[in-house]
Amino acid sequence: MSKTVSRLFESFQPSSYDLKINLDRAKMHFDGSVTIEGRKTGRPSKRLTFHAKDLKITSATITVKDKKGAREIVVSRINQQKSFHELRLHSDSMLYPGKYSVQLEFEAPITPGMTGLYPCYFKIDDQELALLATQFESHHAREVFPCIDEPEAKATFDLTLTTEPGITTLGNTPIKQQTTDGSTMTTSFETTPRMSSYLLAFVVGDMQSKSATTKAGTEVNVWSTKAQPIDSLDFGLDVAVRSIEFFEDYFEVPYPLPKADHVALPDFSSGAMENWGLITYRERVLLAYPGDSSQSVKEQIALVVAHETSHQWFGNLVTMKWWNDLWLNESFANMMEYQAVDSMFPDWQVWDSFVANEALSALRRDATPGVQAVRTEVNHPDEISTLFDPSIVYAKGGRLLYMLKSYIGEEAFRKGLSNYFTKFAYKNTEGSDLWAELSATSGSDVAAFMNPWLVRPGFPMVTITQSKTIVSLKQEHFSDNPDKADASRLWPVPLFSDDEILPKLLHTDEVAVRDETTAVVRINQGARGHYTVKYAMDEQRDALIQLIKEGKLSNAERLMLLNDASMLARAGHQPYGDVLQLLAAYADEENESVWDIIAMIIGESRRFIDADPALEDKIKAFIRQLIAKQYARLGWDEHPGESVADQKLRALIIGLGAYADAPAITSEALKRFKAYQADPSSLSSEIRGIVFGVPIKSETKSETKSETKQGTTEAFEYLLQLHDATNNSDLKADISGALTVTRSDKDAARLLERIKDSKLVKPQDAERWLVYLMRNRYVRGTAWNWMVSEWPWIEKTYGNDKSYDYMPRYAASVCNSREWADKYREFFGPKEDQVVLRRNIMIGYEEVDNRVKWLERDVSSVQQFYSKLPD
């Protein structure tokens, strides 16, 4: 690995940027100039250093400002160091600490890589058009202008854009002045607040919008291309307005800017980006098509909009000093999105979704040896993008903060946050600054409580034993590979029990208390703690099963009991057949979030099919039996007054039945698919993707049995044409999910080849097609071979993007045998020297090896379970 990256802020601290950029959309080129005012610190030297990447520097001037006035320093040499993206301005004169003004001119092509400045393509009436947009997080501002591209280097920005006339230009702040002179339009924006370079943004092109105003007078706008129906902006606008109002009330700190723009971009790599006052999104997480967007999609939109809006405080108003404290941005936004949406839509029960989605994602990733801690050091620019692990810095971090809020109480939590924002507005902080404010309002030593959870990877397993009048608790490091568990690792574990005899915190490795209760003692009630629980005795487990059957446990606890059982089995603490047996206690389960974990356990058991293909028919029969009661209750169509949870549960049940070849579900899906072709409005969007997949699977299934595997059915062609014709991002996603269930290698190869054509598959969606096909065991080999052969294209296209380091993780997730473990090592082993890939490659080794050991160890247990089921 290369040497540790230097922090340029330590030698030059900018105070303002005057940035002028000329955009030529026709030639896909830009040029510009920037004047950087700032202070040189540290030792005298003969150079000033900034960040710049892939920019041609055409002019550089240094002006020193001291007691003698302002005078120009000759730049004798310009050197661009590629490894750390450094622009070094050398002078023959000694440059002493003090104030400087640096003027630079530059130019570069506009490239399609979805970082820096890039085009976003869309079609109207078969005419291809383009917006220009920016994506500067985490360290891509340097691709558009020379700067100190570090979060601590906060400064103000005066941005001026020169474009063709008659188009929309958006920046972080309102337009100050806009003039047209013949074939050019010049737009200047108001000076931004003091902020980090990664938050600067602009979007230009032909767009449409809808607007509203918050109670406090903030202008809120939602934008899209004109390829989208104008009413698709309404739901996102409503959530955007209410999100600002919620956070202003919750934090007791006003929204810091006069306007908030939310822009749906046709091409966007991340889900969304919190640029201050100009938030950008993928279309499918901002646009809701009236009458055509499912409840699931609307929930996702609300959560993402709330997440990005919370960043206007967490991350923008107050920003981490360096990327090792990225959790100060993302972990808080992860938790606060649920807080806001629960306030806006309480009937959605999103805290159950928080447990089902974030908690399970965090626990399962965090159990893998080698996984990063929430707070992780950064030693190279390429390591920055690897920090954005959705299961750790987002999900685990959010879960830890939810645990903290539950531990100190919401009143102390809210007051501490308010004090934090007030004290550190427009500044940079570290975790200790936040802990100090929360400690003051709660009276607890928050740093002592939280730091062990943040700086250590992993989490504890708490074993509880209840014998007569003694309750014993023991914590130990949980790992998917118990041989790699760290016996010395301890956490301050909040027990969250209504049994008042138990201590509030488990500080030590073991404790025993005298307890006269005859009821089973439960801990981690409400699933508020980041740990697994092992109930050691049969009597305890039997009592919990009875509570489940009697409906006396919360949704979160029922969910987490299943997850804990599954994780304990995967780590070898019990056979997986016992987990499947536990599902019997959930025979009357009606909660959608609990059914999510039931479906996940079924999905896990399907991995055993790779070891014993004869299990597939038995698993399908078990699923048909498992879903029968809920299918009878819910049917296919929404009932008057039913809950939104039931709307989502219906899709889950029908989806399980479609996989399991339930005759009634298969025949009805085929019928509804035919009806959809005549009238698209006849099919609920909640189940649309499932219905689309049934004819694809059904027709290629018969070909697979005859071993022809020729593929290309009428349904396949219909959906492919529909995908290419629509601008509806939800519909495109449903179609990709359906087409990738094909069992035809020929059709899989055809889908894979389309990935490289950005006119057919947007680069942001390519990984979805590839990953779905790799997860499909019938065409996994075809998809894997394509990934191997096309890796140079993948690296060229995505090597600069945060999604690039996800590839080893996706690949590892489909490996269920020693043969596939060898394939993984053979392909990714030579890539360990790539800093951006190394962490996920190494975690992939652990994940695959542990999974193969688990499957080999438990296959007999699973076979035994299914052998006892009635035919």
Side-chain angles (χ1 to χ4, degrees), residues 127-140:
Q127 180 183 3
E128 186 172 71
L129 304 170
L131 306 178
L132 295 181
T134 58
Q135 171 59 30
F136 289 169
E137 191 186 36
S138 54
H139 56 299
H140 301 293

Side-chain angles (χ1 to χ4, degrees), residues 450-503:
M450 287 297 291
N451 285 339
W453 295 96
L454 286 173
V455 302
R456 300 172 190 162
F459 57 88
M461 172 178 70
V462 179
T463 301
I464 178 168
T465 305
Q466 193 173 350
S467 178
K468 295 183 180 179
T469 60
I470 301 297
V471 176
S472 300
L473 298 161
K474 179 183 179 181
Q475 68 158 301
E476 55 190 307
H477 177 208
F478 181 88
S479 174
D480 276 346
N481 184 349
D483 293 338
K484 294 190 176 181
D486 184 350
S488 66
R489 198 175 298 179
L490 295 176
W491 290 265
V493 182
L495 295 178
F496 296 126
S497 176
D498 58 9
D499 189 310
E500 297 180 357
I501 302 298
L502 296 186

Side-chain angles (χ1 to χ4, degrees), residues 35 150 174 176 209 280 339 386 390 415 424 461 467 494 572 578 596 650 661 673 690 746-747 791 866:
T35 299
E150 298 170 0
K176 179 170 62 177
S209 68
T280 47
Q339 191 86 41
T386 71
K415 184 60 178 175
F424 295 104
M461 172 178 70
S467 178
D578 288 2
D596 280 342
R650 173 179 294 106
D661 298 328
F673 179 72
I690 301 163
K746 180 180 177 180
D747 284 346
W791 190 262
Y866 284 113

Side-chain angles (χ1 to χ4, degrees), residues 444-695:
S444 300
D445 188 343
V446 173
F449 176 71
M450 287 297 291
N451 285 339
W453 295 96
L454 286 173
V455 302
R456 300 172 190 162
F459 57 88
M461 172 178 70
V462 179
T463 301
I464 178 168
T465 305
Q466 193 173 350
S467 178
K468 295 183 180 179
T469 60
I470 301 297
V471 176
S472 300
L473 298 161
K474 179 183 179 181
Q475 68 158 301
E476 55 190 307
H477 177 208
F478 181 88
S479 174
D480 276 346
N481 184 349
D483 293 338
K484 294 190 176 181
D486 184 350
S488 66
R489 198 175 298 179
L490 295 176
W491 290 265
V493 182
L495 295 178
F496 296 126
S497 176
D498 58 9
D499 189 310
E500 297 180 357
I501 302 298
L502 296 186
K504 188 176 182 181
L505 276 180
L506 177 61
H507 289 283
T508 58
D509 61 340
E510 198 165 2
V511 68
V513 297
R514 188 173 185 85
D515 195 330
E516 302 291 343
T517 183
T518 57
V520 62
V521 176
R522 292 153 40 219
I523 60 174
N524 203 16
Q525 293 178 233
R528 291 170 288 173
H530 185 65
Y531 55 92
T532 59
V533 181
K534 178 182 178 182
Y535 290 92
M537 304 175 67
D538 290 340
E539 293 83 354
Q540 293 171 283
R541 294 191 290 270
D542 291 343
L544 289 169
I545 288 172
Q546 189 59 36
L547 291 175
I548 293 170
K549 292 179 177 179
E550 294 173 358
K552 294 183 178 179
L553 296 184
S554 68
N555 297 337
E557 283 185 82
R558 298 198 309 279
L559 187 161
M560 198 53 67
L561 278 170
L562 271 178
N563 181 67
D564 286 351
S566 169
M567 295 190 69
L568 290 168
R570 287 161 58 100
H573 295 280
Q574 64 184 36
Y576 204 79
D578 288 2
V579 183
L580 297 171
Q581 190 66 47
L582 180 59
L583 291 177
Y586 292 78
D588 297 322
E589 185 59 60
E590 295 185 354
N591 180 265
E592 182 261 340
S593 292
V594 179
W595 265 98
D596 280 342
I597 181 65
I598 293 173
M600 187 174 72
I601 287 173
I602 292 170
E604 283 184 339
S605 72
R606 288 169 57 186
R607 289 186 181 273
F608 289 95
I609 296 170
D610 282 9
D612 180 4
L615 282 171
E616 183 162 29
D617 287 342
K618 297 176 181 178
I619 291 174
K620 288 182 177 181
F622 177 61
I623 293 172
R624 294 193 293 268
Q625 173 188 334
L626 196 65
I627 66 171
K629 188 170 186 177
Q630 293 310 308
Y631 180 61
R633 181 176 73 90
L634 297 167
W636 279 82
D637 300 307
E638 293 180 18
H639 307 146
E642 77 175 1
S643 68
V644 295
D646 273 354
Q647 293 175 29
K648 294 191 296 177
L649 179 57
R650 173 179 294 106
L652 192 154
I653 295 298
I654 291 174
L656 287 171
Y659 163 75
D661 298 328
I665 289 177
T666 298
S667 62
E668 183 65 20
L670 292 172
K671 175 183 173 183
R672 291 185 181 235
F673 179 72
K674 187 174 182 179
Y676 176 88
Q677 292 175 282
D679 177 13
S681 67
S682 66
L683 184 60
S684 165
S685 55
E686 197 72 60
I687 59 173
R688 183 174 57 200
I690 301 163
V691 168
F692 283 178
V694 170

Side-chain angles (χ1 to χ4, degrees), residues 326-327 330-331 334 354 356-368 371-375 385-400 453 457-459 530 775 805-806 809-810 813 840 843 847:
L326 176 63
W327 65 271
E330 299 300 349
S331 300
N334 175 272
F354 177 77
N357 299 332
E358 313 299 339
L360 270 58
S361 173
L363 287 166
R364 285 162 180 267
R365 181 70 165 171
D366 207 20
T368 308
V371 75
Q372 70 195 57
V374 172
R375 189 183 192 278
S385 63
T386 71
L387 294 178
F388 290 81
D389 187 323
S391 298
I392 299 300
V393 78
Y394 291 80
K396 179 183 176 180
R399 182 161 165 77
L400 294 180
W453 295 96
F459 57 88
H530 185 65
R775 288 175 179 170
D805 82 308
Y806 292 173
R809 183 173 181 178
Y810 293 144
S813 71
N840 273 343
I843 294 173
E847 179 186 338

Side-chain angles (χ1 to χ4, degrees), residues 116 184 260 335 504 548 644 687 689 721 727 731 762 791 795 853 861 869:
T184 62
M335 187 197 73
K504 188 176 182 181
I548 293 170
V644 295
I687 59 173
Q721 291 173 19
N727 286 315
L731 181 56
K762 286 187 169 294
W791 190 262
E795 185 171 4
K853 290 176 184 176
S861 169
L869 294 178

